């Protein structure tokens, strides 16, 4: 389990971050303890009638009763739909199961789905909501750090295919995102630490001040100091909301959110999704992509050093595992960010500033040889 707070526990006021997308705009509500107010929040949005709670047995055991109680108090009819825990269930078979349940329970266009869980549950629920009767509203109640700072915001939904991760899906925005940071206290430590990679990412791609905040508060954050945690999650949501509002469908700016993911995804796939969990691979990916940027003359050595140091202090790995260049390059080519055969990689120019550039295989190979020597 993650370490619980050793410092004073401060009750944070509920706050909202708006994701501005015209008619599809929505609020992210940050409210420690807010799980108990879910019913009220749904009433505020004008919902009534049936609510389907999509979750897994772990989340159901931890938080299912509180969510149910809150919805009951607000007068909703509830139906829980459980899928197995883990990435293996993120597939069309379990989407089909969710749809079967919705049909059997006569869910209508006005009914609502609630995703109670991490990124897996959120991505699946959003996708099921996007296709059931051509689209019903859904709400993200995000319970992992990855989900609170990244996956619950922005409307990327979907499932995996045997031939590729996240290959089937839709852009479909939630009606609301509810973040109760208290739920992070029950997260397994490895999952919590992995989420910090996405947090560090926001500092590097968009906000040097936030990067500095993380450098000065990383120990407090690891110890789950309420004030630091609240500020951290809120700032990540603000940055993600602003990027998504400018480029919902990833035709330009949104690609910066993939910093660390070109090498990160390659490492995940080379390790057959067993060696690293996503955030761990992204931690290595960010350090290595910063190092690559330095080798390409895009950023100073100091930027790489700060990147490496913060990732290390967050408790994440920073070095490449033993591998050969051909395998790494091959895996990097097998990615959604490849356009017309060219790998487009997010590379830092400074802390808080990145560029997205096509990679030249020869230059990357030269960099890789230096890393091999250095890590030997
Ligand atoms: P996850 O959803 O698998 O959750 C990790 C583990 O923690 C699971 O075992 C889960 O049951 C458990 N868990 C969740 N909340 C808990 C809590 N509060 N207490 C105790 N246990 C808890 O993993 P994740 O990292 O949240 O999400 C990963 C998924 O998100 C991947 O499928 C990835 O593709 C997707 N993702 C999507 C986006 C997006 O923009 N849509 C962004 C990033 C990641
Ligand atoms: N997680 C990357 C994105 O939402 O675009």
């Amino acid at each position: 389990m993650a370490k619980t707070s050793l410092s004073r526990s401060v009750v944070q006021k509920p706050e909202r971050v708006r994701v501005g997308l015209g008619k599809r705009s929505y609020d992210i509500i940050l409210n420690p303890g807010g799980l108990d107010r879910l019913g009220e929040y749904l009433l505020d949005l004008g919902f009534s009638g049936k609510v389907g709670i999509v979750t897994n047995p772990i989340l159901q055991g931890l938080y299912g009763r509180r969510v149910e109680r809150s919805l009951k108090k607000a007068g909703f009819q509830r139906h829980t739909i459980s899928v197995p825990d883990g990435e293996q269930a993120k597939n069309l078979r379990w989407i089909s199961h969710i749809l079967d349940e919705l049909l059997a329970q006569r869910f209508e266009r006005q009914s609502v789905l609630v995703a109670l869980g991490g990124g897996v549950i959120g991505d699946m629920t959003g996708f099921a909501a996007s296709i059931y009767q051509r689209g019903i509203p859904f709400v993200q109640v995000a319970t992992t750090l990855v989900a609170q700072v990244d996956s619950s915001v922005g409307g990327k939904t979907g499932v995996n295919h045997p031939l590729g991760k996240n290959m089937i899906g839709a852009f479909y925005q939630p009606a609301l995102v509810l973040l109760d940071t208290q739920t992070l206290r029950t997260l397994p430590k490895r999952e919590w630490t992995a989420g910090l990679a996405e947090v560090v990412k926001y500092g590097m791609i968009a906000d040097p001040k936030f990067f500095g905040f993380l450098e000065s508060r990383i120990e407090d954050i690891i110890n789950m100091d309420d004030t630091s945690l609240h500020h951290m999650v809120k700032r990540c949501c603000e940055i993600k909301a602003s990027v998504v509002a400018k480029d919902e469908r990833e035709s330009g700016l949104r690609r910066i959110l993939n910093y660390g993911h070109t090498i990160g995804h390659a490492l995940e796939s080379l390790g057959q999704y067993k060696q690293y969990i996503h955030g761990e691979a992204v931690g290595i990916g960010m350090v290595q992509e910063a190092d690559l940027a330095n080798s390409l003359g895009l950023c100073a050595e100091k930027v790489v050093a700060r990147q490496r140091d913060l990732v290390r202090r967050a408790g994440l790995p920073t070095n490449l595992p033993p591998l050969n260049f051909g395998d790494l390059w091959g895996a990097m080519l097998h990615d959604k960010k490849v356009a017309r055969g060219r790998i487009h990689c997010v590379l830092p120019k400074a802390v808080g500033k990145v560029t997205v550039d096509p990679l030249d295989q020869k230059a990357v190979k030269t960099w890789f040889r230096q890393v091999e020597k250095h890590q030997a």
Side-chain angles (χ1 to χ4, degrees):
M1 294 285 187
K3 230 167 156 183
T4 46
S5 178
L6 299 175
S7 53
R8 72 208 146 27
S9 183
V10 178
V11 180
Q12 299 297 325
K13 279 199 318 271
E15 288 190 88
R16 290 181 186 239
V17 174
R18 186 83 176 153
V19 185
L21 286 165
K23 280 187 184 156
R24 283 167 290 106
S25 297
Y26 54 95
D27 280 349
I28 304 165
I29 300 180
L30 290 103
N31 185 1
L35 225 50
D36 301 314
R37 296 190 55 193
L38 177 65
E40 284 170 57
Y41 293 136
L42 295 195
L43 286 179
D44 288 348
L45 289 172
F47 294 127
S48 59
K50 289 183 178 156
V51 178
I53 307 156
V54 182
T55 191
N56 70 33
I58 295 178
L59 274 311
Q60 170 67 11
L62 285 166
Y63 302 113
R65 209 174 292 161
R66 276 174 65 193
V67 164
E68 276 254 359
R69 202 183 304 135
S70 165
L71 293 171
K72 186 178 176 190
K73 206 168 137 201
F76 289 98
Q77 293 166 53
R78 293 96 41 216
H79 179 67
T80 296
I81 304 171
S82 191
V83 298
D85 180 38
E87 191 74 34
Q88 316 78 262
K90 191 176 149 178
N91 57 40
L92 286 173
R93 187 180 146 227
W94 284 102
I95 291 295
S96 193
H97 169 75
I98 296 171
L99 301 176
D100 290 348
E101 293 270 319
L102 296 177
L103 283 163
Q105 297 296 323
R106 298 185 186 281
F107 269 64
E108 300 162 354
R109 270 256 171 90
Q110 289 69 30
S111 310
V112 189
L113 287 190
V114 166
L116 174 63
V120 167
I121 292 290
D123 282 12
M124 290 176 75
T125 309
F127 185 51
S130 78
I131 55 176
Y132 184 73
Q133 295 193 359
R134 298 200 178 85
I136 62 170
F138 85 109
V139 167
Q140 294 267 17
V141 181
T143 62
T144 64
L145 186 54
V146 167
Q148 296 202 353
V149 300
D150 188 3
S151 64
S152 66
V153 176
K156 281 189 182 176
T157 73
V159 291
N160 302 326
H161 184 274
L163 295 182
K165 194 166 147 51
N166 291 331
M167 284 295 166
I168 317 286
F171 283 98
Y172 193 67
Q173 300 295 340
L176 176 75
V177 177
L178 175 59
L179 307 181
D180 179 342
T181 43
Q182 286 179 0
T183 60
L184 300 177
R185 292 179 184 279
T186 55
L187 256 191
K189 180 139 175 41
R190 190 175 177 195
E191 298 291 346
W192 157 254
T193 305
L196 290 174
E198 303 290 354
V199 171
V200 170
K201 178 187 82 178
Y202 287 110
M204 200 64 166
I205 63 173
D207 188 347
K209 196 168 154 216
F210 181 56
F211 195 91
F213 163 82
L214 294 173
E215 287 177 316
S216 65
R217 298 286 180 83
I218 191 67
E219 279 78 26
D220 290 343
I221 290 166
I222 289 170
N223 287 329
M224 291 199 170
D225 168 68
D226 286 330
T227 311
S228 309
L229 196 61
H230 190 82
H231 175 71
M232 175 187 91
V233 173
K234 183 173 174 223
R235 188 66 197 122
C236 292
C237 287
E238 285 169 348
I239 295 170
K240 179 133 190 197
S242 125
V243 170
V244 168
K246 290 182 190 123
D247 177 22
E248 184 182 9
R249 297 207 158 217
E250 200 167 313
S251 44
L253 179 71
R254 188 165 177 167
R255 292 185 300 171
I256 66 172
L257 297 173
N258 294 322
Y259 173 51
H261 287 60
T262 299
I263 291 178
H265 278 159
L267 296 179
E268 273 185 286
S269 105
L270 289 170
Q272 267 130 38
Y273 297 94
K274 290 188 186 113
Q275 188 173 6
Y276 301 111
I277 57 175
H278 180 67
E280 293 167 343
V282 171
I284 300 174
M286 288 191 294
V287 174
Q288 299 306 325
E289 287 173 20
D291 197 52
L292 173 61
N294 172 253
S295 151
L296 297 173
L298 288 169
C299 74
E301 178 58 42
K302 176 80 185 149
V303 175
V304 189
R306 286 181 70 190
Q307 175 67 99
R308 185 185 296 275
D309 197 44
L310 186 54
V311 170
R312 181 189 56 74
R313 286 172 63 208
L316 290 159
T318 58
N319 278 352
L320 284 180
L323 43 75
N324 69 58
F325 178 72
D327 288 345
L328 178 65
W329 185 257
M332 284 163 71
L333 271 172
H334 199 76
D335 194 281
K336 284 207 288 310
K337 294 175 289 298
V338 172
R340 291 181 207 94
R342 301 206 76 182
I343 299 168
H344 290 258
C345 188
V346 185
L347 298 162
K349 292 171 91 171
V351 170
K353 197 166 178 211
V354 289
T355 174
V356 185
D357 284 350
L359 293 181
D360 171 61
Q361 184 176 3
K362 234 171 109 188
V364 178
K365 195 170 182 176
T366 306
W367 160 76
F368 184 82
R369 295 288 172 243
Q370 291 165 4
V371 177
E372 274 186 323
K373 257 194 244 159
H374 198 77
Q375 284 194 186

